[in-house]
Structures are given as structure tokens and as C-alpha cells.
Amino acid sequence: MSDPLVFAATCDIAGKVRGKGFPLSALDKRLEKGVGWTPTNVMISCFDGIAEGPFGSLGDLLLMPDAATQLELPLSDRVERVMLGDITTLDGTPWACCTRSLLKGAIARLERVAGVRAIATFEHEFQLLDHDATPGDAFSLAGFSVGRRLGERVMAALRAAGMQPDTFLREFGAGQYELTIDPTDALTAADQATMLREIVKLIAADEGERATFTPIRDAAGVGNGVHVHFSFVDAQGQPCTWDAAGQDGLAPVTSAFAAGILKYMPAILAFTAPSRVSYLRLTPHRWSAAYNNLGDRDRESSLRICPVAATDPDRIARQFNLEYRAADAAAAPHLVLAMLLHAGCQGIDEGLTAPPATQEDLSLLSPEALADRGIERLPQSLEAALDRLAAEEVVQGWLPEGFREVYIAHKRGELDELSSRSMDEACAAYAAVY
Ligand code: GLU
Ligand code: MG
């Protein structure tokens, strides 16, 4: 006999899915009352160190599972049941450090300032850890075939969890694969991105493999990016991202939103590329992102105008989307999207306009030439990114009281944990936990 358990979870600021189990038989009660949670948990780093924080042993919170996120994943010896939820105080107020509540706040802000809703999807790259580089395998059938069984099980699991699988491919790096799913509303997209990573890791383990979504495994190799695609629909649900008459096809709302992301990217980078090794990936010629630039179909731009394969205006309008490439899987998807939406809303509030899109190698330009075009090299370490975040008071205005300090303390604690490790050792440490 066994009594099935449901794992109620949050994707926390370490980008880890953490939570507590309760009997499935008590689901109704737990959906109403939640499970107990502890403020200091937010200081637990991805390596399980506890950074110095304001909470100590004090305080109590609730983790309220949301039935809409329910995952039921059959594995060879068990069924994993997981629900994501919001963290609240005991009186039901969203907790300042709940990543999912932060995203809900950002979604509401966008509706308020622009009357539009964001549609999003996360594109994921991961590597099978025990696979060395096999020259000739990139994008090949032989390389694909090694991952086919895993890919097919994952596709079925995604569909069963309510996602629409899009593609699965053998990427360029050692044992590297990419997985995409269809876009949906912003909250669901972040929930799905969170669950997708867990699904891949669980099924890989079931297959005797170890999958890692770490930002980069090896300083000399390619990274594992998280590319966040987004577009907008109006109050009637009609696409409103594209405008044939706009610069580079950007509708006014898209232009202002993109300009906000470009302006605040250096300050929010510590949220979207939040590990020490993330900054190995954010270097030129790695097809990731090294400058705060809008690029036209350029995989080296941090904000990319994606291709559209249509000539008919209705289809162009439905396909047109932008992609933020300076994110990785050390970040909670909810936090990444919340910061992008806030930065975009700030651009709308400030009445900004996006610059013309680039389509060139920016690493050939001097800092002065870049500055003339409003472009800068992104912070080149987590320390530098945290300093930019700490210095940007506008970002503070988007966030609940106390959250930014907690985040910075958490991340500085993580860096302290790695202080005696070389970059290669840090890569190995992150590969093991993401
Ligand atoms: N691996 C690259 C990254 O770190 C992305 C490659 C691609 O364009 O899919 O973002
Ligand atoms: Mg890729």
C-alpha cells in the first residue's frame, strides 16, 4: 500500500524548485490552507548554503499550491505529482520574495500601463552530462538519435501536462539539446518553463542520464541559453506587436517596451543571468548576448527581432515576436519574465522609442562608438551586475519593499561559497545543481 504525495513547490530566487509534500487525499484542504513555509528558505543558495539574511529563525509563511499547475508524471518506479504555488504571509498577502507573485504584479502593471497582455514562451537548452563532445554530431541524425528516446518521452510528458511541444533538436555543444514549446500567457509560460526543466531532469534520470541546464559547462564551450520570446495581444486578444509602418516593424507599444528593456538591461541582468558562470556565456561570438542591443534576426543580440515566415499581414502579425537572449536557467522563469515586463513597462511609462535594429558585429566597435548609439557592453561578472542592480533606484520602485536587498544578499552569499573555487570548479558546481 502507498499513499500518493503531492509536492507543493515554489521556484525560488536560486531558480530551484523547492517545497513540501502532502497526501493527495488532503488536496482540497491544502488548496485552501496551503502548507507552511519559512522566510529563511529564500536565503538557501543553489548549493544549499544559507546566506546572511534578515529573517533568521523567525516568521512563518504559507505556500499555496495552484491546481492549474498540476503535473502528474509517471516514471518507471513512481508517479511524480507537483504543483507550483504562491508564497503568502499568514493573512494571505503575497510575500515580498515570492517570484510567482512578483510576476503577477508585473503582468498587472502591463495591463494597467498599456492595456495589453504579454504572450511568452521560453526556449531551453540543456546537456546530457555524461556525454563528451562527439565531433560531427551537432544537428546530426546520429546525435539526435542518441536523444530520441528521451525527447519522445519528454514530448509526451509535456503534452500530458498541458503544454504544446514545438521542436526537439540536437544542438551544437557536447550532448546538448534544445527544446521549445508554444507560447501562452505570461504566468502559464513561466510555470511551464519551470515544470519543463523538472520533467527533462526527471525523465533523463529515469533513463539513467543526468541532464543539466547550467548556463555553461565549460568556459571554452557553448552555453545553455534560455531565450524568452514575447509578443502582445490587445484587450480583444488580437496581436498588436507588429506594425508595418513602425521602425523594424515594431508597433508603438513594442518599441517603447523594447527600449525599456534595453535601457534597464544592465541593471536587471543580475536577475536574468544570476550565476557566477553566466558571464562566461554572455561574451561575443557565442550566439548569446553581450550588449544591450536590439538586433534584427541576429543571434548575437540580447533582444532579437525574430524571423517571420509569411507575407500576409494577418500571419505576420500573429508570428511577429521579440526574443530576450541574456537569460539562463539559473534564474527562476517567473523572476526573468517579471523583470522583463517591468523594464518594458518602464519604457512605456517613460515614453521611450527603440533605436533602429543592428545587424553587425558590435565587438568591432569602440565603447565610444557604441555609446553614440546608446549601446554598452553588458556587465561582465555577477559582482558587476549586482553593483548595477544595487545602484539603479528605478528598479527598486518596481519591487516590493525588501526584495532587492534579499536578492543581492542571497547572490553575494552564493559568490562567497565559491570564493575558493576556480572558474572550472565553479562550472562543475553549477552543472551539478542545475
Ligand atoms: N547556445 C546559445 C546560447 O547560449 C544559443 C544558440 C542558439 O541560437 O540556439 O544562448
Ligand atoms: Mg539553441
Side-chain angles (χ1 to χ4, degrees):
M1 283 281 286
S2 92
D3 194 359
L5 289 166
V6 178
F7 188 71
T10 177
C11 188
D12 63 16
I13 65 181
K16 300 286 285 182
V17 173
R18 290 187 162 115
K20 282 185 177 177
F22 60 82
L24 180 59
S25 52
L27 181 60
D28 288 347
K29 179 180 114 186
R30 292 300 176 182
L31 287 175
E32 199 189 312
K33 296 189 166 167
V35 295
W37 199 243
T38 308
T40 283
N41 280 8
V42 80
M43 303 313 293
I44 302 178
S45 79
C46 60
F47 306 118
D48 286 354
I50 304 182
E52 206 61 51
F55 311 113
S57 58
L58 302 177
D60 286 283
L61 298 165
L62 295 171
L63 178 48
M64 304 293 296
D66 179 345
T69 66
Q70 182 166 14
L71 170 70
E72 205 173 289
L73 177 65
L75 296 169
S76 56
D77 62 348
R78 64 192 190 281
V79 178
E80 285 293 348
R81 293 183 172 80
V82 187
M83 268 183 208
L84 298 175
D86 294 359
I87 305 175
T88 71
T89 60
L90 297 185
D91 66 9
T93 311
W95 187 45
C97 301
C98 169
T99 56
R100 201 163 183 262
S101 305
L102 277 165
L103 176 54
K104 287 181 176 176
I107 291 169
R109 182 179 175 195
L110 180 62
E111 288 223 47
R112 212 166 47 239
V113 302
V116 301
R117 283 185 301 115
I119 302 295
T121 186
F122 291 67
E123 197 178 310
H124 308 261
E125 293 176 332
F126 65 93
Q127 283 168 289
L128 296 177
L129 260 180
D130 304 309
H131 294 232
D132 293 331
T134 38
D137 266 6
F139 303 100
S140 72
L141 176 59
F144 182 81
S145 184
V146 171
R148 177 187 287 277
R149 212 183 119 89
L150 171 70
E152 289 178 353
R153 281 189 68 184
V154 167
M155 290 288 168
L158 297 177
R159 211 181 287 286
M163 303 178 213
Q164 297 305 322
D166 178 40
T167 58
F168 179 75
L169 59 106
R170 173 67 170 81
E171 253 284 0
F172 184 76
Q176 190 181 36
Y177 292 86
E178 180 185 307
L179 186 52
T180 59
I181 57 176
D182 282 356
T184 178
D185 71 274
L187 181 64
T188 308
D191 289 341
Q192 291 185 345
T194 305
M195 289 298 202
L196 178 148
R197 289 179 200 162
E198 300 305 307
I199 289 171
V200 169
K201 286 188 275 191
L202 285 163
I203 295 181
D206 210 46
E207 293 281 321
E209 297 274 8
R210 293 186 300 155
T212 183
F213 288 76
T214 187
I216 193 162
R217 258 182 90 183
D218 155 18
V222 297
N224 292 304
V226 170
H227 305 159
V228 187
H229 293 257
F230 60 86
S231 58
F232 307 108
V233 292
D234 64 18
Q236 285 72 47
Q238 293 306 309
C240 57
T241 323
W242 177 72
D243 183 339
Q247 171 79 46
D248 296 302
L250 272 54
V253 66
T254 315
S255 175
F257 190 95
I261 291 181
L262 297 174
K263 176 171 176 184
Y264 291 100
M265 195 182 301
I268 63 168
L269 197 64
F271 289 120
T272 67
S275 78
R276 180 172 149 196
V277 299
S278 298
Y279 295 81
L280 296 173
R281 175 179 164 258
L282 298 181
T283 44
H285 309 143
R286 250 182 233 274
W287 286 30
S288 60
Y291 303 88
N292 61 337
N293 68 309
L294 176 71
D296 184 19
R297 291 173 297 151
D298 175 3
R299 290 184 178 78
E300 291 253 323
S301 53
S302 49
L303 196 57
R304 181 172 80 118
I305 301 172
C306 294
V308 169
T311 47
D312 156 46
D314 279 351
R315 293 185 62 187
I316 298 174
R318 269 184 279 123
Q319 286 183 24
F320 194 78
N321 70 92
L322 302 189
E323 175 195 53
Y324 178 81
R325 296 173 69 87
D328 63 53
H334 302 80
L335 202 47
V336 172
L337 206 42
M339 294 307 156
L340 293 181
L341 293 185
H342 274 303
C345 286
Q346 190 66 34
I348 294 169
D349 276 352
E350 293 180 24
L352 304 180
T353 306
T358 59
Q359 222 181 26
E360 64 191 288
D361 183 352
L362 297 180
S363 71
L364 301 175
L365 303 185
S366 68
E368 296 72 34
L370 289 169
D372 281 347
R373 294 160 66 172
I375 298 173
E376 63 174 293
R377 178 75 174 86
L378 292 172
Q380 292 177 50
S381 67
L382 180 55
E383 289 90 335
L386 289 168
D387 288 346
R388 287 295 288 267
L389 170 61
E392 184 49 85
E393 281 319 304
V394 173
V395 173
Q396 177 55 52
W398 312 339
L399 303 172
E401 195 64 39
F403 174 73
R404 183 171 63 157
E405 292 68 25
V406 161
Y407 187 83
I408 292 173
H410 175 123
K411 286 290 156 185
R412 294 212 165 119
E414 179 181 323
L415 286 170
D416 287 346
E417 282 182 84
L418 293 171
S419 61
S420 63
R421 314 248 194 126
S422 69
M423 204 45 114
D424 284 350
E425 288 168 339
C427 283
Y430 283 110
V433 298
Y434 290 119

